[in-house]
Amino acid sequence: MPVPIRPAPPAPPGTGSRSHPLGVTLREDGQGADVAVFAGHADAVDVCVVATDGSETRTRLTDVDHGVWHGHVPGLVVGARYGLRVHGRWDPERGLRHNPAKLLLDPYARGIDGEVALRPEVFGHTVDETLRGDLAVADPRDSAPHVPLGVVLGELPQELRVRADERPRVPWADTVVYEAHVRGLTQRHPGVPEELRGTYAALAHPAVLEHLHSIGVTTLELLPVHASTSEIALRRRGLSNYWGYNTLAFNAPHPAYASAAARAAGPAAVRDEFRRAVQDLHAAGIEVLLDVVHNHSCEEGPDGPHLSLRGLDDATYYLRDAGGRPFDVTGCGNSLDFTERRVVQLTLDSLRYWVQEFGVDGFRFDLMTTLARGRDGFSPDHPFLVALGTDPVLSATKLVAEPWDVGPFGWRTGQFPAPLHEWNDRYRDGVRRFWLTDAREIALGHSAPVAAGRGLRELATRFAGSADTFDVQRGRLTSVNFVTAHDGFTLADLVAHDRKHNEANGEGNRDGSDSDTSWNHGVEGATDDADVLELRRRAIRNLLATLVLSTGVPMLTAGDEFGRSQGGNNNAYCQDNEVSWIDWDLQDWQTELLDDVRELLALRRRYPVLREAGVRRGSPVRDQRQDLLWFAEDGRPMTVEDWHQADRRILQVLVDGRDRGHDSVLVVVNGGPRQLDVTLPTLEGVTTFVPRWASTPDRRSRPTAAGQAVRVAPWSVRVFATP
């Protein structure tokens, strides 16, 4: 039988809505809350307070200003569950999809209760049991029993409130980013109590903090923690969206990442657990960045479910082409429309909330080109980017763009304005090509690549901060350098697979990138061949050394520091299992690799020249110079002719700190198949080079006088420093 709907009691005198910031604003006198909802094309909006038995008390928001419906809701108090019902026209071709039979989630909800049950009732249009149907026909069935509800939260406990002095505020020059998934990082960690594994609480457990500190991590970047749900196609295959790039609620932490105790206690406890984790990470000196997905929502394409934005105002929230048709530039079924001020507002409001309520230190923006698309495409002067860069709260945080999407002219690396830093895919591809795919061609006896900008020249450009990509006015630390990320092969798989192995994803191995610039070193996948294993592990060390020593901000993917494998799956977004969870039971070679990463990052901390990017402190940007000196294998400075030798694979680069009173660092690269004797350069004021690190197993070496030769193994990196 249908659940009866009780009418709302009349509001007490003097309790009319006094203001209308979007979302729920609790009254100080405890008399309910003021609610404001944007639904620009609606005829009416009801706020529905839902009791534990499923019955609803509906309050109609009678006042509307510029599409914002607002009013006072007497029964909306702390702990109350609520949703929205929107009345208006049903004309999907024009983006009008109002259906009051569907209970919608408030986009500003700060806590959520329940999950999306993928049933016909959660679709605004009529569908059959296969979830396929006719967009033209509105579905009359009530979705309330099958959708999550918003939950009204009170203020954070006093001891969890953000303090101005608690943030680590790590300078960009000292930053080492560690990209991790909340569950995947700790689900199998033996040092974390079983009841906490895979949760927010585990992020700051002493066993995890010890590991992060031991390798020199300053900044933990978390894959999405916004409440999310799984796509229809995944559910049909019995899988789930593990990565979380399918946002349901932009202001609520994902409940499934909270401990069982917090989930049982309710949304406020989930919020508090996440806040406490951030607080504890701060106390340990570690920043927290969030990977945020504001380019699309979980409602998928036009035939997707009817959960929140679609039912409120599909015509405003979702991007359309000039003909009024839905236009997807994200590859996820829908794209939010950042030409609309309410979309910009929702994003800015959400970002500020996570900074001010939870204390997060910044954001990495997924597919950020979508967020900067105006009516004529991408614009570095987009109002959202201007607002982000001038907002007094957000501009003081760390902001990182993923500078592309899949729409027309979507690749925009190097084109975002300050204060944004950017993921540098040119760095990723160039370093991989040098150490892997180009190396494979050479190992097979083929000619070295001669394409413009490839080979040694490209490696040097990436090492020096990608000056061909980023405006010098933004500084060389604009580049967030990475070799791997959550998307693609892990570092261990990058050197062990020429082909992706995504069969477990249920798409016939068609998903994921077909171009991962990888090299299996002669054997596909697992092997016992000692020579192959040695080459693979040396390649990992070469890639990591290049990453850590390059100009820019290094980013490690969790588990790469000890060779985590996903069995060749380069698109593990739907693998919430051992494929994606980090295995902390390390073999001897993994422990040795971990020690190497610790040593490399210790070198970065020890030598300021590796972090200062050649910028003379106090000097105007226009007067900066890169203190990088390049030498050939015979110790003489590189010439133009040297740089244009297509088969050249040997290089020395001195990161010169002499004029600033710092030690200098010399990096020797041998990207070829033969052992070489390399003459160390002769420089004024430098008499000796002290060995500090090498990617080869035999690292025994004595200090070497400038102008003398050292033996450099094939496919290797050696690092020296001036005493």
Side-chain angles (χ1 to χ4, degrees):
M1 295 180 61
V3 176
I5 306 298
R6 297 195 304 269
T15 59
S17 178
R18 294 166 292 190
S19 63
H20 47 272
L22 292 172
V24 173
T25 303
L26 288 166
R27 286 285 181 92
E28 294 180 1
D29 58 9
Q31 298 298 308
D34 296 334
V35 178
V37 178
F38 175 73
H41 294 82
D43 294 336
V45 175
D46 296 333
V47 178
C48 308
V49 179
V50 183
T52 55
D53 65 358
S55 61
E56 296 180 15
T57 300
R58 297 185 184 180
T59 300
R60 178 149 296 182
L61 301 178
T62 56
D63 297 327
V64 58
D65 295 301
H66 307 293
V68 176
W69 297 82
H70 55 100
H72 178 70
V73 182
L76 204 56
V77 296
V78 172
R81 303 184 308 158
Y82 73 104
L84 307 168
R85 295 187 185 271
V86 180
H87 305 259
R89 291 178 59 192
W90 180 266
D91 187 355
E93 288 191 3
R94 301 184 62 183
L96 303 175
R97 304 184 66 166
H98 307 107
N99 186 340
K102 309 305 168 182
L103 191 63
L104 306 176
L105 186 66
D106 177 8
Y108 281 75
R110 297 182 173 185
I112 64 171
D113 180 46
E115 299 177 353
V116 177
L118 204 59
R119 299 168 51 96
E121 292 92 332
V122 305
F123 291 77
H125 61 290
T126 300
V127 301
D128 58 23
E129 293 304 315
T130 69
L131 308 183
R132 296 176 176 88
D134 185 354
L135 285 177
V137 181
D139 183 85
R141 290 169 289 188
D142 189 4
S143 69
H146 314 296
V147 294
L149 301 171
V151 179
V152 180
L153 303 184
E155 292 188 355
L156 275 170
Q158 184 66 39
E159 69 274 10
L160 291 180
R161 293 184 187 175
V162 179
R163 301 192 314 272
D165 61 346
E166 76 172 29
R167 300 180 186 276
R169 300 193 184 280
V170 179
W172 274 111
D174 298 336
T175 299
V176 176
V177 179
Y178 187 82
E179 187 199 42
H181 186 283
V182 172
R183 192 195 311 283
L185 181 62
T186 64
Q187 186 67 34
R188 304 177 70 184
H189 199 303
V192 176
E194 188 170 355
E195 67 273 14
L196 295 182
R197 292 177 189 170
T199 70
Y200 298 127
L203 294 173
H205 187 275
V208 177
L209 294 177
E210 189 282 327
H211 177 74
L212 297 179
H213 282 145
S214 77
I215 60 177
V217 169
T218 68
T219 305
L220 180 62
E221 181 181 304
L222 297 174
L223 267 66
V225 301
H226 290 170
S228 62
T229 190
S230 295
E231 297 91 332
I232 297 170
L234 282 178
R235 296 192 187 202
R236 285 174 175 155
R237 300 200 299 272
L239 298 169
S240 63
N241 190 317
Y242 166 70
W243 284 350
Y245 290 89
N246 204 45
T247 307
L248 171 68
F250 294 102
N251 293 295
H254 191 53
Y257 297 157
S259 63
R263 293 198 306 273
V270 172
R271 174 201 62 182
D272 294 354
E273 182 175 303
F274 179 76
R275 168 60 190 136
R276 188 170 286 105
V278 174
Q279 187 179 62
D280 291 345
L281 285 160
H282 283 171
I286 296 174
E287 297 176 310
V288 178
L289 305 187
L290 300 185
D291 194 335
V292 289
V293 185
H294 288 279
N295 55 79
H296 74 281
S297 81
C298 68
E299 291 182 308
E300 303 190 52
D303 58 350
H306 204 89
L307 304 172
S308 182
L309 304 179
R310 174 161 289 145
L312 288 169
D313 196 341
D314 186 87
T316 296
Y317 279 110
Y318 291 120
L319 185 64
R320 285 177 153 69
D321 64 16
R325 295 174 294 272
F327 187 39
D328 178 21
V329 297
T330 67
C332 301
N334 65 64
S335 301
L336 293 181
D337 186 356
F338 276 79
T339 67
E340 294 286 350
R341 65 185 64 192
R342 292 300 181 182
V343 175
V344 171
Q345 180 186 9
L346 172 62
T347 302
L348 292 171
D349 287 348
S350 173
L351 297 173
R352 283 191 215 98
Y353 177 66
W354 288 92
V355 172
Q356 295 174 319
E357 181 84 351
F358 296 104
V360 302
D361 303 285
F363 306 93
R364 177 266 189 188
F365 295 90
D366 182 66
L367 300 181
M368 197 177 192
T369 296
T370 301
L371 281 61
R373 283 187 179 272
R375 302 198 184 279
D376 297 318
F378 171 85
S379 171
D381 300 319
H382 191 284
F384 173 69
L385 299 182
V386 173
L388 189 65
T390 56
D391 185 278
V393 173
L394 300 176
S395 64
T397 67
K398 284 182 170 167
L399 305 171
V400 180
E402 182 184 41
W404 53 80
D405 65 15
V406 301
F409 308 103
W411 184 81
R412 296 289 176 169
T413 304
Q415 300 177 42
F416 281 80
L420 281 157
H421 293 239
E422 299 181 38
W423 270 25
N424 189 351
D425 56 319
R426 296 187 72 177
Y427 181 95
R428 175 199 63 200
D429 296 344
V431 171
R432 285 185 182 185
R433 276 195 294 262
F434 182 85
W435 285 116
L436 297 175
T437 50
D438 290 357
R440 176 180 59 205
E441 296 304 301
I442 294 168
L444 293 173
H446 302 160
S447 299
V450 295
R454 290 281 292 274
L456 201 64
R457 281 177 290 162
E458 183 175 28
L459 181 74
T461 301
R462 304 301 152 230
F463 185 93
S466 296
D468 62 338
T469 303
F470 298 104
D471 187 337
V472 68
Q473 296 293 326
R474 294 175 65 190
R476 295 291 179 256
L477 292 173
T478 299
S479 176
V480 175
N481 298 331
F482 66 106
V483 177
T484 67
H486 63 277
D487 189 2
F489 282 142
T490 67
L491 194 52
D493 288 346
L494 198 65
V495 303
H497 296 276
D498 282 354
R499 305 182 304 277
K500 63 188 180 184
H501 298 271
N502 299 353
E503 290 79 7
N505 297 352
E507 297 184 52
N509 206 35
R510 294 184 299 274
D511 62 304
S513 172
D514 290 315
S515 177
D516 254 318
T517 51
S518 61
W519 178 25
N520 66 17
H521 293 82
V523 179
E524 183 70 9
T527 182
D528 293 327
D529 188 310
D531 292 336
V532 171
L533 292 174
E534 163 54 27
L535 286 174
R536 288 178 177 179
R537 292 164 190 174
R538 189 182 304 184
I540 290 176
R541 288 179 168 87
N542 292 336
L543 290 161
L544 286 169
T546 306
L547 174 65
V548 170
L549 301 174
S550 293
T551 298
V553 178
M555 185 187 82
L556 286 168
T557 304
D560 275 355
E561 68 271 26
F562 47 71
R564 176 180 77 93
S565 172
Q566 292 180 166
N569 192 322
N570 75 350
N571 190 35
Y573 77 106
C574 56
Q575 298 298 322
D576 189 2
N577 50 47
E578 287 79 2
V579 171
S580 299
W581 302 339
I582 293 176
D583 183 358
W584 294 87
D585 184 14
L586 306 185
Q587 300 176 34
D588 289 344
W589 74 269
Q590 292 178 292
T591 301
E592 293 168 2
L593 178 59
L594 179 57
D595 288 340
D596 274 302
V597 173
R598 289 168 174 156
E599 289 180 29
L600 285 166
L601 286 170
L603 287 175
R604 188 176 177 91
R605 293 192 301 275
R606 177 175 178 177
Y607 294 104
V609 292
L610 295 174
R611 307 191 307 278
E612 292 178 352
V615 178
R616 195 188 302 259
R617 292 188 182 279
S619 298
V621 173
R622 64 178 179 274
D623 292 337
Q624 78 172 8
R625 62 187 178 91
Q626 281 298 106
D627 292 331
L628 299 176
L629 306 178
W630 310 92
F631 302 92
E633 65 273 18
D634 58 4
R636 61 180 172 76
M638 288 280 286
T639 65
V640 172
E641 291 76 16
D642 291 332
W643 285 115
H644 284 83
Q645 289 180 9
D647 60 349
R648 175 172 286 278
R649 301 283 292 180
I650 187 77
L651 179 68
Q652 300 184 78
V653 53
L654 184 84
V655 190
D656 191 1
R658 289 174 295 165
D659 66 343
R660 285 165 288 164
H662 294 155
D663 293 332
S664 300
V665 174
L666 179 70
V667 181
V668 183
V669 171
N670 183 1
R674 294 181 299 278
Q675 179 174 275
L676 295 172
D677 288 333
V678 175
T679 301
L680 302 186
T682 301
L683 300 157
E684 181 180 352
V686 177
T687 59
T688 307
F689 288 97
V690 179
R692 293 301 182 200
W693 188 86
S695 63
T696 52
D698 185 4
R699 302 175 196 183
R700 291 172 295 177
S701 180
R702 297 177 180 176
T704 302
Q708 297 300 305
V710 296
R711 188 150 292 177
V712 182
W715 318 116
S716 71
V717 173
R718 294 192 65 178
V719 183
F720 299 84
T722 56

